[in-house]
Amino acid sequence: MSSPLIIRNLTSRPIEVKRCEYHSIAPSLSQGGFANITQNVTSLFRNATSPAAPPVVESTTSFIHEDVSIRIDPFRSLTTEIRPQSANETLHLIFDTEGEQHRLETPTPTSNSTTLKPLTDNPRFNYTAVHLPEHSHLTLYSSANLSSWMRFFKDDTPLSALSIPGTHNSPTCHRALPSVRCQATSPPEQLDNGVRFFDIRIQPEAPLDPANDRLILVHGVFPISLTGNKYLRDLLQEVYAFLDRNPSETLIMSLKREGTGNATDAQLGRILKDHYAGDPNRWFTAPRIPYLGEARGKIVLIRRFGLDDALKQEWGGAGWGIDAANWADNTPNATCPSGDVCVQDFYEVLETVNIEKKIQYSQEHLERAAKCVCTLPAQDQLATLPPKQPFFINFLTASNFWKVGCWPEKIAAKLNPAIVDFLCRKHNESAGQPEAGGDGSTGIVVCDWVGHKGDWDLVRCIIGMNAKLEMREHGL
């Protein structure tokens, strides 16, 4: 007999199971059993721009139903008595929220997102779910429009309090050398699907030529494309276009000098200030973490390079950009001297067996972020009360150029699903009650190879972890 179903409610409202239906399914659908049918169903939210999931095939020979009343409070898990009675059954559940009902059919015959079907016109709530059959676990989230998910948060939300999906070496989606390519999709597609942190490495093309302000996109000492140089200015035009279409959003951009040649951090800083990031309508360059209202429609600069004496005098002598210049190398946990960034960036996974260590460090950093409770000041206090919570930046990335099993896409294939599982079943689970524990934030989670073959599950899961903060903001 299968294990009882555990249901976790990661939404801001109580959800009640009202009805269970056990449908016997035809042999063509049941071959391989319950576990095989749902093996790959780990997807959560469906982007509003994505095609709809194929309908569940109603190939049933009979069904029985049971009216129940199983309440799952916000941010609680409950072990129910619900269980499929055989491998030849599908389980349909009817959920109720404030009198509005939604239907979930699980397992599904595809690996697409599992979206609950509203049973009323013009629903106020929309839900999606992840089913982890190996654990008999079902997690419910509020759906999100990934292209504009920040619009649901107030202007006085500290940016560091949000759970933010990010990408590592964000523009490295081109044909490139092994270990140079880290992304399956382009930066515009990443933005449309909810990513709000870009990790960018750049090299001045001609730092001694005042007439040449071009910055080449690189990864280490290598260009990001085998077909010719790619440049920061072109990437920024794509970012500006996205922010113009979605003025509720912001993008945090970490910039670091890499590549070959003799350029210095000071030269890079001057080029950026004079030719790229000087427009206050496009960039937030104050040396502090902003509130969301200050950052909407803009790029927030995190700098991983030092400043010359002139830039050190910006902002009343406080400097320029959020200071992450002294970033500890290959660390499982370190805070930059500025206090604004706490990072997990252990990347030397020299053997495949070390991937488990990387997963452990990543989960531990998620737990550090989850324990924080952000201060939500009144609007008139914004100028005098900078956010106290640092950016928790958590790199789910690593590589070893000399071992195929440790190339970025290979590590991501193991690490990304492991983090989805952790977030759904364990992240901030010890909090228990909505008023206990931390906000359950993930911090900034920096990923490789998200969106591969349309799989944005990890991004959607990270965004879903904002529900507790949203509940606090709106007094639910």
Side-chain angles (χ1 to χ4, degrees):
M1 180 178 291
S2 59
S3 300
L5 182 67
I6 301 170
I7 301 177
R8 189 179 187 196
N9 176 11
L10 289 178
T11 79
S12 58
R13 288 174 169 81
I15 294 177
E16 186 176 0
V17 184
K18 301 293 287 185
R19 183 182 176 100
C20 304
E21 298 176 356
Y22 299 92
H23 291 247
S24 298
I25 54 180
S28 60
L29 185 59
S30 63
Q31 287 176 355
F34 180 86
N36 286 345
I37 296 171
T38 61
Q39 183 176 4
N40 296 318
V41 183
T42 58
S43 50
L44 314 172
F45 303 99
R46 173 161 299 282
N47 188 341
T49 62
S50 300
V56 174
V57 178
E58 294 287 359
S59 181
T60 62
T61 58
S62 64
F63 83 96
I64 58 174
H65 71 272
E66 179 183 5
D67 292 328
V68 297
S69 179
I70 304 172
R71 177 187 169 102
I72 307 102
D73 287 325
F75 314 107
R76 297 297 299 272
S77 296
L78 183 67
T79 301
T80 72
E81 296 182 0
I82 301 170
R83 66 179 81 211
Q85 296 180 351
S86 74
N88 295 329
E89 285 182 340
T90 58
L91 175 63
H92 298 185
L93 300 174
I94 305 297
F95 293 92
D96 182 278
T97 302
E98 298 181 9
E100 184 177 293
Q101 294 194 340
H102 296 253
R103 183 183 187 185
L104 172 67
E105 304 178 6
T106 184
T108 65
T110 76
S111 59
N112 291 313
S113 299
T114 305
T115 304
L116 276 67
K117 179 181 179 181
L119 301 182
T120 183
D121 294 331
N122 303 314
R124 291 180 297 145
F125 310 110
N126 291 285
Y127 298 113
T128 49
V130 53
H131 183 220
L132 302 171
E134 63 271 27
H135 302 291
S136 191
H137 193 282
L138 181 71
T139 305
L140 298 175
Y141 294 84
S142 296
S143 298
N145 185 328
L146 299 184
S147 64
S148 58
W149 62 266
M150 288 180 161
R151 64 190 170 96
F152 294 105
F153 296 92
K154 294 183 177 181
D155 282 349
D156 59 1
T157 303
L159 199 56
S160 55
L162 290 171
S163 298
I164 296 176
T167 50
H168 162 245
N169 279 289
S170 306
T172 59
C173 57
H174 306 279
R175 185 163 60 91
L177 294 173
S179 281
V180 172
R181 182 176 180 181
C182 299
Q183 300 304 326
T185 63
S186 67
E189 189 172 356
Q190 294 171 31
L191 291 168
D192 285 338
N193 283 279
V195 171
R196 296 294 178 268
F197 173 93
F198 276 3
D199 167 47
I200 308 295
R201 321 297 174 93
I202 45 180
Q203 171 190 335
E205 186 172 65
L208 299 179
D209 182 359
N212 188 343
D213 62 4
R214 294 202 293 182
L215 297 173
I216 304 170
L217 298 171
V218 295
H219 181 181
V221 299
F222 301 107
I224 66 168
S225 173
L226 292 175
T227 60
N229 287 337
K230 307 295 181 183
Y231 292 93
L232 178 64
R233 178 162 280 116
D234 296 325
L235 172 63
L236 292 180
Q237 292 306 314
E238 295 173 335
V239 173
Y240 296 153
F242 170 80
L243 294 174
D244 287 344
R245 294 192 306 271
N246 300 279
S248 63
E249 308 303 290
T250 185
L251 176 70
I252 303 165
M253 184 175 289
S254 167
L255 290 174
K256 181 186 179 187
R257 180 180 60 84
E258 289 187 352
T260 59
N262 298 318
T264 65
D265 281 3
Q267 290 168 332
L268 172 61
R270 290 312 319 175
I271 293 171
L272 285 169
K273 176 66 168 63
D274 295 341
H275 301 284
Y276 290 84
D279 184 353
N281 295 313
R282 289 293 194 188
W283 288 79
F284 182 92
T285 59
R288 62 175 177 84
I289 295 171
Y291 292 90
L292 182 55
E294 300 176 287
R296 293 193 198 272
K298 301 178 183 179
I299 298 172
V300 175
L301 173 62
I302 293 180
R303 60 171 179 84
R304 294 181 63 185
F305 55 87
L307 301 176
D308 65 9
D309 290 340
L311 284 179
K312 288 178 182 177
Q313 300 309 310
E314 292 285 320
W315 294 97
W320 189 68
I322 297 170
D323 183 4
N326 295 309
W327 183 298
D329 185 60
N330 197 40
T331 178
N333 177 34
T335 300
C336 293
S338 67
D340 288 331
V341 173
C342 181
V343 63
Q344 181 281 121
D345 190 19
F346 174 76
Y347 60 82
E348 288 188 355
V349 177
L350 302 180
E351 300 290 341
T352 55
V353 293
N354 290 341
I355 295 176
E356 291 301 319
K357 181 184 293 186
K358 176 66 178 181
I359 292 173
Q360 174 191 337
Y361 290 157
S362 300
Q363 292 174 347
E364 290 172 351
H365 211 57
L366 289 170
E367 292 173 345
R368 293 184 192 101
K371 293 176 181 177
C372 292
V373 178
C374 80
T375 302
L376 300 175
Q379 187 67 36
D380 60 358
Q381 296 176 308
L382 295 186
T384 58
L385 290 177
K388 298 178 181 179
Q389 183 172 331
F391 281 126
F392 286 88
I393 302 182
N394 195 354
F395 280 81
L396 309 186
T397 61
S399 68
N400 178 0
F401 180 87
W402 304 107
K403 187 171 286 291
V404 174
C406 294
W407 287 355
E409 64 271 29
K410 302 295 184 180
I411 291 177
K414 295 182 178 180
L415 205 144
N416 291 359
I419 298 302
V420 167
D421 182 287
F422 178 82
L423 292 175
C424 288
R425 296 194 301 118
K426 299 179 181 179
H427 184 67
N428 208 38
E429 175 64 18
S430 61
Q433 298 292 338
E435 66 274 14
D439 286 333
S441 171
T442 66
I444 299 172
V445 184
V446 189
C447 315
D448 277 344
W449 283 84
V450 289
H452 182 52
K453 296 183 179 179
D455 181 4
W456 296 97
D457 295 356
L458 181 53
V459 167
R460 293 160 179 155
C461 189
I462 295 164
I463 294 171
M465 291 300 167
N466 285 302
K468 192 172 183 182
L469 176 62
E470 184 180 4
M471 182 183 73
R472 285 185 58 207
E473 286 194 345
H474 295 280
L476 297 177

